[in-house]
Amino acid sequence: MAAETTGDGGGSEGIGGPIARIRNRLEGPNTLGNSRGFWLGFVVAVGLLAAYPFAPGAIKSILVSTRTLSSFLAYGFLALSLAVVWGYGGILSFGQSVFFGVAGYVFGIVLINVNSPLGGTVGLLVGVGGGALMAAVLGYFIFYGGVRDVYATIITLVSTLVLKTFMDQTAGDEWTIGEAALGGFNGMNVPQLALGVGETSVVITSYNSSFFYFVLAVLVVTYLLLRVLVNSDYGRVMVAMREDEQRTRMFGYRTERVKLTVFVIGGALAGMSGVLFTTWQFYITPAKFGLVAASLPVIWVGLGGRKTLIGPVIAAIALQFVANSLGSLWANVIRGALLVVFIMLLPGGIVPRARDLIVFAQYRLFGGGPTAPDPAEEADPEVSDS
Amino acid sequence: MVNGLNLLFQFLDNFAFIVLAASGLAIIFGIMGVINLAHGEFILVGAYATTLLSATGTPFLAGVSLPLPVAILVGVVVAGVFGLVVERAVISGALPNWLWAKTRPPLANALPDGASRKLPKTPLVSPLYDRLVDSMVATWGLSLITVQLVRIVFGTSIPQAGTPFGAINYAGGAFSYSVYPLVLSGVAVVVLAGTYLLFTRTEFGMRARATIQDEDTARAMGVDTERTYTATFVVGSMLAGLAGALYAPFLNLGPQFGESFLVESFVAVVAGGTSVVVGTTAAGGLLGGVNALVTNLTEAPFFGRIALLVTALLILRFLPGGVSGYVERLRERRKEA
């Protein structure tokens, strides 16, 4: 049951202009939102987000500050990472928080030792690389060991717990790497991020909106690139493997290699999230490997929709927004209840269902196809809380 | 330094911990195909029930102080009831289905025709049996809810009952070890034996094994598989509750109590495979031994834990079905020969 397309499968008809060529790469049966209306909504939503720092203070005090919103966006990468690994690779992983945390720590260690724009650039790359490497090591053991999917999930969960146990006891002086003391469960303070090589540098700090724009831009680009990936031939192999691993193997694909690749991509994405979150917070603690932290991406993907890329991102932003507004006492109860209810009632996730409703409404109202105007709600994070 | 007695005590301690922590999880996983990520919370419920009844100065039941064995039994029963509620409400979906069956007809009558056709059909939800991923996510949600509710109701810690039996001194008083975990290793052996007897010598055990082997045929032969599943889940919850009740006087008690069991129990189930008794015994012995040895050599419990995980990974690398899967294979071969 691959996700169905809405309408004609893209804007490839008519003239083969550059826009159509780009859309061709971005659209396909493996993603939601292949209509002109979706892209319109997408552009509007990104535009609204980009305009958010200029919103009047009254709105911000009711909703969220720009600084907090940028952390939600940083979590968007974590949502994307599990969307790829679980939604397109079929591997439920509780280990995304491991890659998130490892990348955060590695980034912090590099930046503390080389506190310069060069250090920032290297730290970012090494952090993302560290997440990917960690995923590669763990994934090698899991997939080349022929571990069946459920056991794979349990191993990722156990890795998370073991890493937390490890980081919690790094308070002593022997756990110092260069200048950086890991600091046990108090965590590690990290200087602010500056990117650049040599003389040219850009200071990106979450004190002003530069960090927000940086995260937003990288998130949008990453999302589009992932769309290209899952709609490419390789993406088809990934989906085939998710649907029926045995058969895919019969066709001659090396499924364990595909799985490992997917896992490493997921690790790099989670690593990106970890780096951005660490620099946003100015510190990182082992709580990021805790059980609650490990469960967040699963909740986002479970609620947002497993076979989409945009769903988990919307769910991440929306749920972080809800948790942020609720305060911490009841947040977990609400999260848990949402998870239980939606897994029982809508195992496919909310966003695909919302898309169905929008399409249904279009047909009822306009009798037309997918080019009806403005289903912007689909890409608008404020609406998906319903 | 490695001291023989030390090693033995440590081994018994670890063995008891792993077996008690894992047996409930293994039963639910092996028979129902449900991965219960709320396993730690069943342990938590058993531990809290026991502590509230046996320790003094606890919230709500400050004056109540039952003897520990009685409190442990009550804790087991409470965990079993909790398991029954969870199974009916979430895992089997029976409760929401029943509610929907009751509310749908009146709703459909009240609404105009076009709208009532849009209402979801009955049954509203399908059970989570053998839906590994979905069961994981749902029980994960349960776990979040339970931990947070315990935190809201009882705060971050509650007064504990004292550990019985004291300690033994040996090597001229140079070492001492609590007696309690050693007693628990005896309890663990009893639990394993009891589980074995339950599955081989009772009517319920036969039905349960039939359900594992071939659910459809079992149902055709008149086995009420749904009831078997429910009973299995309750038995598993009770065993989890027993683990919690037994360790309640011995370990730090708080909302995170269940988490301290999670690593060992899941690793044991992964390494042991789906067969409950063989798998849990083998995993408990093997992993407990590795853990004791490494802890003794490095004198850091943390490295023992790491060694435990690495051992489990290696077992899985070479025996994908876990230890009991390997035992199965050996049996098959012997049959063929």
Side-chain angles (χ1 to χ4, degrees), chain B residues 34-334:
Chain B
V34 167
I35 299 243
N36 181 14
L37 284 180
H39 179 67
E41 281 52 63
F42 286 94
I43 293 176
L44 179 76
V45 167
Y48 264 64
T50 303
T51 306
L52 289 178
L53 289 169
S54 63
T56 49
T58 48
F60 308 111
L61 294 167
V64 181
S65 171
L66 296 174
L68 192 61
V70 180
I72 285 174
L73 282 180
V74 177
V76 170
V77 172
V78 170
V81 171
F82 180 61
L84 181 67
V85 172
V86 165
E87 207 277 342
R88 293 282 85 192
V90 177
I91 312 283
S92 69
L95 183 70
N97 283 340
W98 179 80
L99 286 172
W100 184 238
K102 282 265 177 281
T103 50
R104 194 177 184 280
L107 256 182
N109 288 335
L111 291 169
D113 246 8
S116 67
R117 266 209 309 277
K118 287 266 177 298
L119 286 176
K121 302 268 179 298
T122 51
L124 184 64
V125 294
S126 45
L128 296 169
Y129 309 137
D130 280 325
R131 285 162 60 192
L132 290 165
V133 169
D134 289 350
S135 69
M136 254 192 225
V137 178
T139 49
W140 184 274
L142 268 177
S143 141
L144 287 179
I145 296 171
T146 316
V147 170
Q148 196 59 28
L149 283 180
V150 167
R151 187 172 288 132
I152 289 169
V153 175
F154 296 104
T156 48
S157 66
I158 58 173
Q160 289 183 244
T163 310
F165 304 127
I168 15 175
N169 292 311
Y170 53 96
F175 295 103
S176 73
Y177 212 93
S178 302
V179 180
Y180 191 64
L182 306 181
V183 173
L184 291 191
S185 66
V187 177
V189 173
V190 171
V191 164
L192 285 173
T195 311
Y196 178 76
L197 291 175
L198 178 73
F199 281 108
T200 52
R201 298 291 152 85
T202 64
E203 184 79 3
F204 162 76
M206 199 168 64
R207 284 163 198 263
R209 282 182 296 136
T211 310
I212 303 176
Q213 271 189 4
D214 190 338
E215 193 190 338
D216 295 341
T217 309
R219 200 176 305 151
M221 305 282 281
V223 176
D224 185 344
T225 49
E226 190 170 330
R227 187 182 292 179
T228 307
Y229 280 142
T230 307
T232 306
F233 200 83
V234 171
V235 169
S237 316
M238 284 168 106
L239 280 174
L242 177 69
L246 289 172
Y247 279 101
F250 193 64
L251 300 174
N252 276 334
L253 201 50
Q256 308 290 328
F257 183 74
E259 257 184 58
S260 47
F261 290 82
L262 265 193
V263 176
E264 275 79 0
S265 52
F266 275 98
V267 167
V269 170
V270 166
T274 45
S275 151
V276 179
V277 178
V278 177
T280 314
T281 313
L286 199 69
L287 298 172
V290 168
N291 192 349
L293 197 65
V294 174
T295 305
N296 245 299
L297 286 173
T298 57
E299 295 182 0
F302 164 74
F303 284 111
R305 251 187 156 185
I306 289 283
L308 189 128
L309 179 74
V310 171
T311 313
L313 281 176
L314 287 174
I315 289 177
L316 271 188
R317 180 72 185 76
F318 297 108
L319 312 172
V323 177
S324 63
Y326 179 68
V327 172
E328 280 301 298
R329 276 228 311 275
L330 284 184
R331 272 196 202 152
E332 301 272 311
R333 268 197 218 142
R334 204 173 294 157

Side-chain angles (χ1 to χ4, degrees), chain A residues 12 21 33 40 42 50-51 62 100 107 116 133 150 169 185 249 273 285 287 292-293 298 303 308 315 382 385:
Chain A
S12 52
R21 272 211 299 280
L40 202 68
F42 182 76
I62 294 170
F100 178 99
F107 165 76
S116 70
L133 185 70
V150 181
Q169 54 90 57
F185 58 82
R249 192 193 304 261
S273 187
T285 66
V292 173
V298 179
L303 291 186
T308 77
E382 301 303 330
D385 303 355

Side-chain angles (χ1 to χ4, degrees), chain A:
Chain A
M1 281 262 319
E4 56 200 291
T5 49
T6 60
D8 54 7
S12 52
E13 83 281 16
I15 39 168
I19 300 245
R21 272 211 299 280
I22 291 171
R23 273 189 65 177
N24 237 344
R25 299 291 296 276
L26 288 171
E27 293 178 355
N30 298 334
T31 45
L32 281 183
N34 297 313
S35 63
R36 205 166 300 170
F38 168 82
W39 289 113
L40 202 68
F42 182 76
V43 170
V44 168
V46 172
L48 281 175
L49 278 174
Y52 195 80
F54 301 108
I59 293 183
K60 284 186 199 170
S61 61
I62 294 170
L63 297 172
V64 283
S65 66
T66 307
R67 183 175 142 70
T68 316
L69 187 61
S70 54
S71 82
F72 300 172
L73 294 180
Y75 270 138
F77 288 95
L78 194 57
L80 278 178
S81 93
L82 193 68
V84 172
V85 169
W86 185 21
Y88 288 89
I91 310 151
L92 172 55
S93 157
F94 284 104
Q96 301 314 102
S97 52
V98 171
F99 316 134
F100 178 99
V102 164
Y105 269 100
V106 169
F107 165 76
I109 291 165
V110 171
L111 201 55
I112 288 172
N113 286 311
V114 190
N115 195 358
S116 70
L118 182 66
T121 314
V122 172
L124 184 84
L125 295 174
V126 174
V128 173
L133 185 70
M134 190 83 197
V137 172
L138 196 61
Y140 170 79
F141 260 99
I142 294 174
F143 305 126
Y144 282 79
V147 177
R148 287 204 310 263
D149 26 7
V150 181
Y151 290 137
T153 304
I154 293 176
I155 289 180
T156 57
L157 175 66
V158 171
S159 317
T160 305
L161 292 169
V162 167
L163 194 64
K164 180 169 187 330
T165 324
F166 175 69
M167 292 315 297
D168 270 346
Q169 54 90 57
T170 55
D173 290 340
E174 70 272 30
W175 297 108
T176 307
I177 300 172
E179 308 269 302
L182 298 182
F185 58 82
N186 294 321
M188 182 171 74
N189 288 319
V190 179
Q192 67 176 21
L193 175 63
L195 290 177
V197 184
E199 294 302 299
T200 51
S201 74
V202 189
V203 176
I204 291 178
T205 165
S206 46
Y207 288 131
N208 60 33
S209 49
S210 62
F211 178 73
F212 175 83
Y213 283 119
F214 176 70
V215 179
L216 182 64
V218 179
L219 183 64
V220 169
V221 169
T222 308
Y223 168 71
L224 294 177
L225 286 177
L226 283 175
R227 276 191 74 127
V228 172
L229 172 75
V230 300
N231 285 320
S232 67
D233 287 351
Y234 201 81
R236 284 176 217 277
V237 178
M238 277 156 53
V239 171
M241 187 185 68
R242 173 188 78 197
E243 299 300 337
D244 194 334
E245 193 179 340
Q246 288 283 331
R247 242 176 248 187
T248 314
R249 192 193 304 261
M250 297 287 279
F251 279 128
Y253 293 103
R254 296 198 169 176
T255 48
E256 57 277 320
R257 192 187 289 178
V258 178
K259 274 186 175 175
L260 187 59
T261 312
V262 170
F263 208 59
V264 170
I265 293 171
L269 285 166
M272 187 74 197
S273 187
V275 169
L276 292 173
F277 196 82
T278 305
T279 187
W280 175 81
Q281 230 183 0
F282 298 123
Y283 64 89
I284 178 151
T285 66
K288 288 288 153 229
F289 311 127
L291 278 177
V292 173
S295 70
L296 287 177
V298 179
I299 296 174
W300 299 331
V301 177
L303 291 186
R306 232 177 274 176
K307 296 173 182 180
T308 77
L309 287 171
I310 194 92
V313 178
I314 294 174
I317 294 171
L319 276 174
Q320 283 306 99
F321 175 74
V322 170
N324 189 46
S325 319
L326 277 174
S328 58
L329 191 60
W330 289 93
N332 270 349
V333 178
I334 304 279
R335 277 177 187 150
L338 281 173
L339 205 52
V340 173
V341 167
F342 279 101
I343 276 296
M344 286 167 76
L345 293 180
L346 292 180
I350 300 176
V351 171
R353 186 56 61 97
R355 195 280 317 263
D356 292 348
L357 282 175
I358 291 166
V359 172
F360 176 74
Q362 279 178 15
Y363 280 100
R364 287 304 284 275
L365 293 172
F366 308 102
T371 47
D374 202 20
E377 303 90 80
E378 196 181 347
D380 190 342
E382 301 303 330
V383 183
S384 65
D385 303 355
S386 56

